[in-house]
Amino acid sequence: MRARSLVWVLVLLALTLGITVTASAQDRPDLLIWADNTRAPALQPLVEQFSADFGVTAAVQEIGLGDIRSNLPVAGPAGEGPDILIAAHDWIGELVLNGSVVPLDLGDKAAEFSEAALKLFTYNGQLYGMPYAVENVAFFRNPDLVPDAPATWDDVKAISEQLAADGIAPYGFLPQGGDPYHFFPIMSAFGGYVFGADDQGNPNPDDVGIDSEGAIASGDWLESMVKAGLIPQALDYDTMLTNFETGQAAMVITGPWALNRIKESGVPYVISDIPAGPAGPGRPFIGGQGFMISAFSENTLLAEAFLLDFMAAVDPMQALYDADPRPPAYLPLRETLEDVDLVAFDHAGAVGVPQPSIPQMTTVWGSWGSAVGFIISGEQAPTDAFTTAAEQIRQLIAGGPEVSAPVTVVGDTPPEDGPQAVSIPGSLQAAAGCSADWAPDCEVTQLAYNANSDVWLGTFAIPAGEYEYKVALNNAWDENYGGAADRDGANVVLSLAEDTSVTFVYDNKTHWVADSVNKLIASVPGSYQAAIGCSGDWAPDCLRSWLQDVDGDGIYTFVTTAIPAGDYEAKVALNLTWDLNYGADGAQDGPNLTFNVPADGTEVTFSFDSATNVLTISNGS
């Protein structure tokens, strides 16, 4: 008997014998699936069909992709989590270590999935997910501007110089700002890497390569493009694509998620391999999405039946592909598709590197991305930027006490009319590495001033436990603030269920202190930021546009009168990066909001509802 048939027989037997296959909550469906706003609509008719065909109740609950990962360990033990979740492959290490997912045996069905996709969802020799899509970035070019694909990154620079000199296009190649995922293919072409490999070929977190010779060489190449005026110092995903779609840029690196937008723009494009460097071909990260089964599910047999007997078929996989076209991991579907773009992505990914799924990968993105951003903005030289980033990553992996926030690579000189030192004294200090608690002069828990953001920041590794803290100025108790921005106010309570690197932010203009556990670290990047003092526009790590929730009602606001008259765009970003952002109507990765400032000096209020993720912008009119 085929393994998938056996699964469904066991489920039917359980139902027939009256064995409980539902959760304790009366209104809970037999099968609950968590999916994001891209995949939930595609799954909805499928689960309805499954319910009708098999006589059970199944439901899809739309959850933000980032929220799925963070909410599962909390909601699962409380009986409020899913049975199945849509997940990215690189979550596996973290989810396995915190006991949130269970291994999955595909049985005979395994032969119907690509070997590379199955490897992505394998951790310590066990499969933890059923993949449905794989992805990697590739090199896009406008063939009207660049007829032949450049073979090397030196060719890319030469073409960029020629296009600018001839007045054909101001930019040849544009990167996606400080995004490290999209920079990795360039870094790998120069010999840079994230983690080395152990004897078994697994990623080795003890070998961090962000400051390797090859990584720094790739930074030198990037810096040379910026200094030559071939890459602007303020750049993000939307700006990059807009320039490509309007013929202002001839070459970009992006993935299948951008295909629909590029096609709709009408710009001619060709997809090819990543150009090579001194170390060989540019090697993109290979990633994947798939289904995992929650370790907290009481209906694992039903969950397996849904995946093996229902989803592992052409029609359901086609529905997911139609919702978000990416190369399918399911071979019977893949064989039916004739798409030159998918073939090109496959070819570019043939030399790709599986994005590490070990838990330590989560420590990499912030510091690495900041380093790339600092090179583009001209704030730091490549050697300094990548060396500092690597040191931060190693400290985070080691869990050492002296870990600074990614955006505070170097503390800037604070303004003379403000505090010269800001610290986080509290009952957490001894645990963080201080000699005593409630010591405002302890060096370990000092924040660093960041001039670009005009705030004080710091990140400290703190063991699990219950703590209290507040913020103190100038290494003394003479001036201190609590969590409501109130002088001599109440302590802030900090509860950590596990060892955590906690980021603290203090704004001396409002006297509000926030931490990344109790509050969202949210900003409003947009086309206006340079006007209010940021080093560039569309900078999620510039907290001059920091959204603050002083009264704790879940509504985060930012008010300014510094934006000149004009039309602008903006959206909300969390945790100082673009990884989690919200646009119009609260949609994750949604379109920018547009707003108008009718006159200089107009008070503009940005209001973010953390319950709905909706940003509202009002101009006082």
Side-chain angles (χ1 to χ4, degrees), residues 211-259:
D211 58 349
S212 63
E213 182 178 347
I216 292 172
S218 69
D220 290 338
W221 180 89
L222 181 64
E223 183 184 54
S224 72
M225 292 282 287
V226 174
K227 288 185 174 180
L230 302 174
I231 293 176
Q233 292 184 304
L235 193 62
D236 65 3
Y237 173 75
D238 186 68
T239 305
M240 175 195 75
L241 280 187
T242 298
N243 276 282
F244 183 74
E245 292 161 348
T246 58
Q248 300 300 298
M251 300 169 283
V252 296
I253 289 176
T254 190
W257 47 85
L259 274 174

Side-chain angles (χ1 to χ4, degrees), residues 366 370 374 392 404-410 450 453 457 541-543 576:
S370 293
F374 284 136
Q392 291 177 332
S404 57
V407 297
T408 54
V409 176
V410 177
N450 183 275
S453 292
L457 306 99
D541 58 347
C542 180
L543 293 183
L576 311 177

